[in-house]
Amino acid sequence: MLLIPAIDLKDGRCVRLRQGDMEDATVFSEDPAAMAAHWLEQGARRLHLVDLNGAAAGRPRNEPAIKAIVAAVGDRIPVQLGGGIRDLDTIERYLDDGLAFVIIGTAAVKSPGFLRDACSAFPGQVIVGLDARDGKVATDGWSKLTGHDVIDLALKFEDLGVEAVVYTDIGRDGMLSGVNIEATVRLAQAVSIPVIASGGVSSLADIEALCAVEDQGVEAAILGRALYENKLDFGEAQRLADRLGGRDDEHADLAAGDGPDSPEAP
């Protein structure tokens, strides 16, 4: 089980939201690049970035901070980014800047043709983000709830060639209330590509619960508020996940990615 620290960017700072509410943000660092270096030192094998302003605006808003983060970690670990990615030029620019993966959310739901083109142009480097409440997908920085079923969309996106799915339970995100294991497993069982769990991880018990369903296709989890509020020690959590999964750094396949254009493994 790969554990991925999250760095959510708002106005150039590292923050955490509660249930995606931009007005309910807690600032944890004025220097996101230093935070990235910290997680690298703690043993992170991948980083998850979110351009929160970009998600709301529909275009990149935190590029200077993103570039600084990539520069801070170099090519030692892959970095993935979501938020405000709505066209191929933006994807190309981000990948040229050194990002390993882009996460397409709102644009994937609203413009499946764009997702198809992205997967074709950048094979192995496109992840889809499905953010849901009660099984229905939300878009536009979680501000709009659609009638689309998570599993139905995931199956369609899998056919288009996405590398993985990041599944976020909005109701749990930033609430330290535990992972929605049942919904995450349902999704993972329905598709053959890796599912990355997001939202609600708060304790080593959550890590144990995730590791117990790793063989169902839940291959990674994104950690946020629990790390920043020191409720969970990242190094301890990853060591536990490695032990329960019977693997070590050399076998963390998803960390490096297996797509044809994926960067060198960490």
Side-chain angles (χ1 to χ4, degrees):
M1 175 70 61
L2 173 66
L3 304 182
I4 311 173
I7 299 178
D8 289 2
L9 301 166
K10 181 174 185 282
D11 303 329
R13 300 179 292 182
C14 173
V15 307
R16 294 302 297 171
L17 306 183
R18 293 183 187 274
Q19 298 184 326
D21 185 354
M22 287 287 279
E23 301 306 314
D24 190 0
T26 303
V27 177
F28 284 101
S29 175
E30 298 284 345
D31 188 349
M35 186 60 69
H38 168 73
W39 295 130
L40 179 63
E41 291 169 2
Q42 293 296 306
R45 300 169 190 158
R46 187 189 289 204
L47 292 178
H48 175 79
L49 312 184
V50 181
D51 181 348
L52 294 171
N53 302 104
R59 56 186 181 276
R61 289 296 199 189
N62 282 283
E63 286 189 81
I66 292 164
K67 288 182 178 180
I69 288 170
V70 173
V73 301
D75 59 0
R76 287 169 288 180
I77 59 173
V79 180
Q80 62 190 41
L81 167 74
I85 298 174
R86 311 285 168 87
D87 59 72
L88 296 179
D89 287 343
T90 297
I91 296 175
E92 185 173 23
R93 187 168 71 251
Y94 274 142
L95 295 179
D96 285 346
D97 285 341
L99 287 170
F101 305 95
V102 294
I103 302 168
I104 302 176
T106 293
V109 178
K110 293 184 173 181
S111 306
F114 163 62
L115 181 63
R116 181 185 298 107
D117 291 344
C119 290
S120 176
F122 309 103
Q125 294 182 283
V126 177
I127 295 171
V128 71
L130 291 177
D131 308 323
R133 189 188 301 275
D134 299 324
K136 299 301 180 182
V137 174
T139 61
D140 299 278
W142 300 354
S143 65
K144 299 178 182 177
L145 196 63
T146 73
H148 295 295
D149 180 79
V150 170
I151 291 178
D152 289 345
L153 277 183
L155 288 169
K156 292 178 182 177
F157 296 158
E158 178 181 20
D159 288 342
L160 296 180
V162 299
E163 181 75 1
V165 175
V166 173
Y167 173 65
T168 303
D169 184 322
I170 297 171
R172 309 253 182 151
D173 188 74
M175 301 304 291
L176 300 175
S177 57
V179 184
N180 190 335
I181 295 289
E182 182 180 351
T184 306
V185 168
R186 276 200 305 270
L187 175 59
Q189 290 175 334
V191 299
S192 60
I193 54 178
V195 170
I196 301 172
S198 176
V201 177
S202 61
S203 66
L204 291 178
D206 290 324
I207 304 301
E208 292 176 349
L210 285 165
C211 288
V213 298
E214 185 175 6
D215 61 353
Q216 301 296 310
V218 184
E219 297 189 15
I222 293 168
L223 311 183
R225 183 174 288 272
L227 294 180
Y228 290 98
E229 293 188 351
N230 297 315
K231 297 181 184 299
L232 191 63
D233 178 88
F234 179 80
E236 182 183 9
Q238 185 63 74
R239 286 191 295 273
L240 173 64
D242 289 344
R243 187 166 66 251
L244 292 175
R247 63 181 59 188
D248 54 27
D249 289 8
E250 304 253 336
H251 297 91
D253 297 335
L254 188 59
D258 293 317
D261 292 322
S262 297
E264 183 180 352

